[in-house]
Amino acid sequence: MNRKALQKLSYGVYLVTTAQNGKSYGCVANSAMQITSSPAQIAVSINHDNATHDQIAQSGKFALSILATDTDPALIGGFGYRSSRDADKFAGVPSAEHDGMPVPDAAMAWITCRVVKIMTAGTHTIFLGEVTDCELNRADGIPMTYLYYHTVIKGNSPKNAPTYVPPEEK
Ligand SMILES: Cc1cc2nc3c(=O)[nH]c(=O)nc-3n(C[C@H](O)[C@H](O)[C@H](O)COP(=O)(O)O)c2cc1C
């Protein structure tokens, strides 16, 4: 098995956010995809150890922020390399509220979902959400791909990303 083949899969770079008891949570995720068109459904794969995981499970909803190529890399670092257990990730991040969930203004588009199915998949949980609302924050901008994140921004993926590649496989 040549695991390098797995690295040829394509993704985007997103924020998955939610809110619970008046507190905001969220993390970076590349693992988001549209599963059906009618009704529109989106799946995300979230590591059990992420604070965002339990909060989505409890709130039963999540918002997906689609990031553009000109997104400040500090936003990705702030949401992808820290936990809400240790930091208020939304401090200093201008955000709007949609269906009670925080969506950073930097998102080029956002989608809110209500969780309709939960599937445990080893280290991760797949949350399937039915789209409850979605909108563009701006008409221009190019959605950031995972490839762009790695090759142009020179970003990495931490252990909790489903696409994490251990150093010995690089
Ligand atoms: C580019 C990138 C992609 C990521 N993709 C995922 C993902 O799809 N699923 C996941 O569970 N974590 C993913 N992560 C890791 C989480 O964002 C990270 O563990 C975060 O610190 C969790 O924060 P939390 O504890 O506040 O939820 C990714 C991180 C980066 C930087």
Side-chain angles (χ1 to χ4, degrees), residues 13 26-31 45-47 49-52 76 79-85 89 124 146 149 156-158 160-162:
V13 180
C27 65
V28 176
N30 62 278
S31 61
S45 171
I46 304 295
N47 193 289
D49 294 338
N50 289 358
T52 311
I76 300 173
F79 277 76
Y81 281 89
R82 296 185 303 169
S83 177
S84 297
R85 293 186 193 97
K89 297 185 178 185
H124 285 64
Y146 200 52
Y149 171 72
N156 285 310
S157 299
N160 286 2

Side-chain angles (χ1 to χ4, degrees), residues 51-169:
T52 311
H53 177 277
D54 290 3
Q55 302 305 326
I56 295 176
Q58 284 166 32
S59 69
K61 58 185 185 178
F62 62 86
L64 192 71
S65 290
I66 299 169
L67 303 181
T69 48
D70 57 6
T71 301
D72 183 351
L75 184 72
I76 300 173
F79 277 76
Y81 281 89
R82 296 185 303 169
S83 177
S84 297
R85 293 186 193 97
D86 314 315
D88 177 4
K89 297 185 178 185
F90 292 86
V93 177
S95 303
E97 202 174 279
H98 297 291
D99 190 18
M101 295 179 284
V103 172
D105 295 348
M108 63 176 292
W110 54 266
I111 301 165
T112 55
C113 296
R114 133 186 112 80
V115 175
V116 291
K117 271 217 168 75
I118 294 180
M119 180 181 159
T120 303
T123 52
H124 285 64
T125 294
I126 301 167
F127 293 102
L128 178 68
E130 186 170 320
V131 174
T132 50
D133 199 5
C134 49
E135 189 51 272
L136 301 176
N137 274 344
R138 51 190 266 205
D140 65 341
I142 301 166
M144 188 188 294
T145 62
Y146 200 52
L147 183 66
Y148 184 94
Y149 171 72
H150 283 286
T151 57
V152 181
I153 297 186
K154 307 275 185 221
N156 285 310
S157 299
K159 214 163 184 174
N160 286 2
T163 44
Y164 172 70
V165 180
E168 64 273 18
E169 276 183 31

